[in-house]
């Protein structure tokens, strides 16, 4: 019998990818192609849903031919996707009424204001775990219903469907047979009641979105239908939004386990078990996944400026030529230099939430060089991560025992060691950093019995564990310095 493989579909914000993964968890091949970013006016970001579907299907087929495998060797497909981005289409014709409105799109800011003015903000947060923001799907659907000619009438006649990108792709892959999503994606729409586990009738009525537009919501490891390739029906068995898939791919399967992705910004999720933790620090509550008949929750927080601060040193100040050089430069900094850099280029997010703060460097002396400034900048990624993780611990009442990391900036060993030191817990960097795709593959493979949980645990190999070596006293002292520095930037634009 020839060997079987899982295909992970990784439908991101800028590219469509397909990965072929074998039973040992090794990635055999990756096919990837970018697709068109459409910017019709300032603050608007769209994708062509038909293009996404076409490119994504081509990547699946390319990956199979690159790896030299036939469709009968594919055990199952797992899908992970850019979250919140929304498509509305006609159920009868299968044609989108408008381009996909991307999560970054800000056109619905005034619809969000309208919702807040009517006093619904707290109620919506209580039900969905999200803040009223144009980021989430709800106001994107409203915009299409209000602005695309004929949309409202078709919606009222029950002829329209809406979906996040997973839902749209499954609709296309199954030839219009399935209108379906998973808990993790549903929880990003601002329409789903994450406590009752149903589309919230009250919110739908208030926002005038007909129930008939919404997909069925299922566990993340489930029978989502099949994709027929060369006469073979390939089962689709796993679905999760990208950040949740990464949390699963990092195998944060117990409450209190967390992952942080260090890219342009940082994306942090902490699994909180079967209880939805409510944040007092401005973090989001979201569904991590549905598995084995249970629903698991997570707290989510992000750092706006992380790797972007390193880019600023490189391109803005021209302190070095490649981001990688920041590591050796930081290692040349004088000990106890006392320099702090607060990269509040666009205000500060959780737990400070101050849009009036701006970036600053503190503690400069005559002997400060670019080494100290670079080190202080890398340190700021670690301090901001601690700010959010501390909030997560206090919101969930669960202590963090290790941090699993991925993303471009985790290549920096200085940063990873400092992160472990400033958190006081080990930082674990896996060998395979394709955690998002692996999460989707695991969800699919668990459903068909291709893998069990023990096998998955064996697949994940650790590249390096960074163990804290800093004394408690020094950790406290340094973190206090950071908090002092942040305090001095708050409200800057107002003063
Ligand atoms: P994204 O997906 O947001 O584009 P990536 O995961 O590709 O991000 O990571 C790129 C980011 O990480 C950039 O902002 C870059 O400045 C930063 N980065 C990359 N390598 C390093 C490094 N060795 N040290 C510090 N920062 C790095």
């Amino acid at each position: 019998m020839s060997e079987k493989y899982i295909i992970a579909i990784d439908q991101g914000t800028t590219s469509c990818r397909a990965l072929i993964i074998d039973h040992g968890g090794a990635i055999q091949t990756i096919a990837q192609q970018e697709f068109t970013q459409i910017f019709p006016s300032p603050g608007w970001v769209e994708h062509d849903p038909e293009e996404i579907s076409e490119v994504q299907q081509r990547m699946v087929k390319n990956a199979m031919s690159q790896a030299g495998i036939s469709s009968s060797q594919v055990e199952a497909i797992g899908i992970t996707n850019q979250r919140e981005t929304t498509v509305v289409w006609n159920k009868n014709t299968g044609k989108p009424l408008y381009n996909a409105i991307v999560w970054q799109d800000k056109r619905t800011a005034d619809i969000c204001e309208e919702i807040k003015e009517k006093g619904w903000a707290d109620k919506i947060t209580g039900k969905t775990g999200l803040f009223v923001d144009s980021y989430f799907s709800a106001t994107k659907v409203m915009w299409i219903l209000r602005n695309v000619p004929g949309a409202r009438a078709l919606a009222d006649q029950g002829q329209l469907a809406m979906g996040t990108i997973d839902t749209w792709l499954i609709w296309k892959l199954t030839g219009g047979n399935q209108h379906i999503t998973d808990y993790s994606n549903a929880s990003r729409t601002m329409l789903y009641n994450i406590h009752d586990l149903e589309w919230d009738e009250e919110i739908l009525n208030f926002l005038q979105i007909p129930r008939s537009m919404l997909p069925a919501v299922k566990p993340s490891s489930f029978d989502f239908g099949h994709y027929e390739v060369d006469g073979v029906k390939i089962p689709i068995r796993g679905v999760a939004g990208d950040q949740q898939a990464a949390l699963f791919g990092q195998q944060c399967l117990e409450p209190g386990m967390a992952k942080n992705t260090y890219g342009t910004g940082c994306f942090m999720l902490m699994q909180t078990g079967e209880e939805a933790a409510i944040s007092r620090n401005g973090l989001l509550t979201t569904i991590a996944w549905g598995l084995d008949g249970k629903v698991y929750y997570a707290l989510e927080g992000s750092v706006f400026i992380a790797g972007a601060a390193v880019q600023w040193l490189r391109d803005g100040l021209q302190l070095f030529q490649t981001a990688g050089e920041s590591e050796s430069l930081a290692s040349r900094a004088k000990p106890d230099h006392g320099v702090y850099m607060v990269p509040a280029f666009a205000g500060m997010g959780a737990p400070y939430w101050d849009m009036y703060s701006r970036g600053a460097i503190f503690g400069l002396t005559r002997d400060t060089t670019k080494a100290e400034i670079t080190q202080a900048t890398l340190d700021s990624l670690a301090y901001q991560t601690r700010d959010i993780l501390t909030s997560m611990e206090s919101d969930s009442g669960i202590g963090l025992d290790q941090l699993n990391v991925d993303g471009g900036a985790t290549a920096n060993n200085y940063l990873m060691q400092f992160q472990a030191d400033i958190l006081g817990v080990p930082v674990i960097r896996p060998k395979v950093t394709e955690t998002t795709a692996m999460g989707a593959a695991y969800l699919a493979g668990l459903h068909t019995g291709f893998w069990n949980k023990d096998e998955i645990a064996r697949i994940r190999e650790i590249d390096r564990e960074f163990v804290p070596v800093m004394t408690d006293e020094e950790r406290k002292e340094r973190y206090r310095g950071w908090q002092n520095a942040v305090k001095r930037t708050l409200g800057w634009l107002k003063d």
Side-chain angles (χ1 to χ4, degrees):
M1 216 182 78
S2 53
E3 205 183 334
K4 289 243 173 181
Y5 302 87
I6 299 277
I7 295 185
I9 286 181
D10 180 4
Q11 201 303 303
T13 306
T14 57
S15 74
C16 292
R17 310 167 76 225
L19 296 83
I20 309 262
I21 297 155
D22 69 19
H23 188 257
I27 296 169
Q28 296 290 319
T29 189
I30 302 177
Q32 172 165 3
Q33 190 178 312
E34 294 195 353
F35 57 88
T36 317
Q37 305 291 316
I38 304 164
F39 306 109
S41 45
W44 294 29
V45 189
E46 298 177 1
H47 294 155
D48 174 356
E50 299 285 11
E51 183 189 6
I52 287 185
S53 162
E54 186 270 314
V55 174
Q56 189 61 66
Q57 293 188 55
R58 194 147 37 82
M59 289 310 104
V60 168
K61 288 166 188 167
N62 285 0
M64 283 163 60
S65 69
Q66 280 171 30
I69 66 166
S70 67
S71 37
S72 56
Q73 284 174 275
V74 182
E75 169 84 8
I77 290 175
I79 299 177
T80 180
N81 55 289
Q82 52 167 321
R83 302 180 304 172
E84 297 105 11
T85 298
T86 304
V87 187
V88 172
W89 68 95
N90 186 313
K91 289 182 197 171
N92 302 316
T93 64
K95 295 274 174 272
L97 265 73
Y98 190 80
N99 276 336
I101 303 184
V102 179
W103 55 272
Q104 299 146 326
D105 191 292
K106 296 280 176 226
R107 83 185 66 186
T108 59
D110 50 352
I111 303 184
C112 293
E113 284 312 311
E114 205 181 297
I115 294 171
K116 289 180 200 163
E117 273 161 24
K118 289 186 177 155
W120 275 66
D122 288 347
K123 188 181 239 182
I124 288 177
T125 301
K127 287 164 177 271
T128 67
L130 309 174
F131 306 117
V132 174
D133 196 283
S134 53
Y135 196 80
F136 307 108
S137 312
T139 59
K140 301 181 194 295
V141 179
M142 292 170 74
W143 189 91
I144 291 175
L145 294 183
R146 287 181 183 185
N147 291 282
V148 176
R152 168 51 64 191
L154 286 170
D156 291 341
Q157 293 158 16
Q159 298 195 45
L160 296 188
M162 72 74 73
T164 39
I165 293 292
D166 55 310
T167 305
W168 166 248
L169 272 181
I170 296 172
W171 170 273
K172 294 296 279 184
L173 296 178
T174 62
N177 268 323
Q178 296 283 347
H179 186 213
I180 199 166
T181 190
D182 88 301
Y183 289 120
S184 72
N185 277 295
S187 75
R188 313 302 297 183
T189 57
M190 216 174 86
L191 299 171
Y192 195 68
N193 189 313
I194 60 169
H195 310 287
D196 300 346
L197 300 180
E198 52 194 30
W199 296 114
D200 194 275
E201 287 297 340
E202 210 183 351
I203 297 178
L204 292 177
N205 287 337
F206 172 60
L207 302 182
Q208 295 187 298
I209 298 176
R211 174 75 182 75
S212 57
M213 290 182 74
L214 299 162
V217 184
K218 299 294 176 186
S220 313
S221 190
F222 187 77
D223 180 353
F224 292 92
H226 61 259
Y227 176 40
E228 192 165 325
V229 180
D230 301 330
V232 177
K233 292 178 173 166
I234 305 177
I236 305 169
R237 292 289 187 271
V239 173
D242 54 13
Q243 295 305 322
Q244 284 94 330
L247 188 69
F248 199 81
Q250 288 273 22
Q251 298 190 21
C252 296
L253 303 184
E254 301 294 330
M257 295 181 84
K259 72 94 193 173
N260 190 14
T261 303
Y262 298 76
T264 311
C266 282
F267 266 108
M268 237 168 296
L269 269 80
M270 178 195 260
Q271 210 249 80
T272 61
E274 293 172 60
E275 295 296 321
I278 306 303
S279 181
R280 290 175 304 277
N281 296 295
L283 302 173
L284 303 178
T285 308
T286 202
I287 299 183
W289 47 73
L291 187 69
D292 300 334
K294 292 177 189 151
V295 165
Y296 296 83
Y297 293 87
L299 282 167
E300 174 171 326
S302 48
V303 167
F304 303 145
I305 305 290
V310 180
Q311 285 169 21
W312 175 70
L313 296 183
R314 185 194 63 192
D315 306 334
L317 298 190
Q318 303 186 347
L319 298 192
F320 41 77
Q321 305 215 309
T322 64
E325 288 166 50
S326 63
E327 181 173 345
S328 55
L329 196 51
S331 307
R332 293 206 293 274
K334 286 177 278 296
D336 304 320
H337 52 71
V339 177
Y340 285 89
M341 191 278 198
V342 183
F345 298 155
M348 286 296 277
Y352 310 101
W353 294 113
D354 183 73
M355 59 182 169
Y356 301 105
S357 72
R358 282 299 176 270
I361 301 176
F362 296 94
L364 299 175
T365 53
R366 184 66 183 79
D367 59 350
T368 303
T369 69
K370 61 183 183 177
E372 288 75 31
I373 289 177
T374 300
Q375 192 183 71
T377 301
L378 291 172
D379 292 354
S380 77
L381 275 64
Y383 288 125
Q384 294 181 92
T385 296
R386 172 158 171 188
D387 285 340
I388 293 195
L389 286 169
T390 305
S391 304
M392 287 178 170
E393 287 183 319
S394 99
D395 288 339
S396 66
I398 310 172
L400 181 79
D401 54 12
Q402 63 176 52
L403 180 67
N404 300 288
V405 300
D406 50 51
T410 60
N412 192 308
N413 294 315
Y414 166 78
L415 171 61
M416 293 298 102
Q417 182 58 49
F418 187 71
Q419 185 70 82
D421 283 334
I422 217 63
L423 286 173
V425 299
V427 166
I428 316 283
R429 185 171 67 195
K431 258 194 191 143
V432 175
T433 51
E434 289 283 356
T435 52
T436 308
M438 291 307 289
Y442 292 152
L443 287 166
L446 282 173
H447 194 269
T448 65
F450 185 67
W451 288 310
N452 59 39
K453 284 196 184 140
D454 293 340
E455 287 169 321
I456 284 178
R458 279 198 296 275
I459 288 174
R460 182 166 175 273
E461 285 181 68
I462 291 169
D463 168 52
R464 190 160 160 191
E465 176 170 352
F466 297 86
V467 180
V469 290
M470 193 178 270
T471 63
D472 282 347
E473 201 182 337
E474 186 177 354
R475 175 178 309 124
K476 250 187 229 153
E477 193 55 35
R478 294 231 188 175
Y479 189 56
R480 208 176 52 208
W482 163 255
Q483 290 177 310
N484 270 332
V486 172
K487 213 185 297 167
R488 284 168 165 78
T489 71
L490 298 180
W492 174 257
L493 289 188
K494 268 206 234 162
D495 293 343

